[in-house]
């Protein structure tokens, strides 16, 4: 259903990417009215899902035998890319570095301090990335 709706929103996305005056004025009005970025619940949910999905795809692509050490470096990076790419479609923005740091910190806390296995909880790296991803452009 979301893909069908996105098909109809393509002209709006193009105008927004090309800095159409309507969208520029809308962003400035939003920044004046709200001092902090508004919480978009839909954006947070989609960021969590896409981050977990990209992490799961990369997790399945890495063999479990000789390349186990790469898993601890690549999984948070894959999750960060998913979260960051989804967040780029909204006006709330963040640096890639802050999102990556949040992803690695949450991965470390959930994997090594709380011992939550990655097979049961694929959102471990997405949570930290989403929490570190909010500020205006």
């Amino acid at each position: 259903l979301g893909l069908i709706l996105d098909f109809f929103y393509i002209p709006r996305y193009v105008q927004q990417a090309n800095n159409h005056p309507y969208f520029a004025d809308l962003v400035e009005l939003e920044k004046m009215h709200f001092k902090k970025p508004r919480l978009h619940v839909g954006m947070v949910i989609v960021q969590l899902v896409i981050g977990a999905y990209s992490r799961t795809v990369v997790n399945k692509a890495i063999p479990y035998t000789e390349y186990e050490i790469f898993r601890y470096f690549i999984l948070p990076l894959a999750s960060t890319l998913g979260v960051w790419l989804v967040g780029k479609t909204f006006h709330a923005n963040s640096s890639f570095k802050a999102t990556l740091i949040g992803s690695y910190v949450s991965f470390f806390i959930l994997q090594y301090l709380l011992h939550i296995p990655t097979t049961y909880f694929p959102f471990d790296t997405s949570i930290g990335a989403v929490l570190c991803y909010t500020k205006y452009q």
Side-chain angles (χ1 to χ4, degrees), residues 67-97:
Y67 302 111
E68 187 70 29
I69 192 69
F70 292 119
R71 186 177 313 280
Y72 301 112
F73 298 109
I74 294 176
L75 290 182
L77 179 65
S79 177
T80 300
L81 283 173
V83 168
W84 190 67
L85 288 174
V86 169
K88 293 300 278 183
T89 61
F90 290 86
H91 295 298
N93 215 351
S94 179
S95 68
F96 184 76
K97 182 179 172 183

Side-chain angles (χ1 to χ4, degrees), residues 22-35:
Y22 171 74
F23 289 106
D25 292 343
L26 187 65
V27 170
E28 290 302 319
L29 247 156
E30 193 173 290
K31 285 182 185 178
M32 281 182 9
H33 187 65
F34 301 107
K35 299 301 179 200

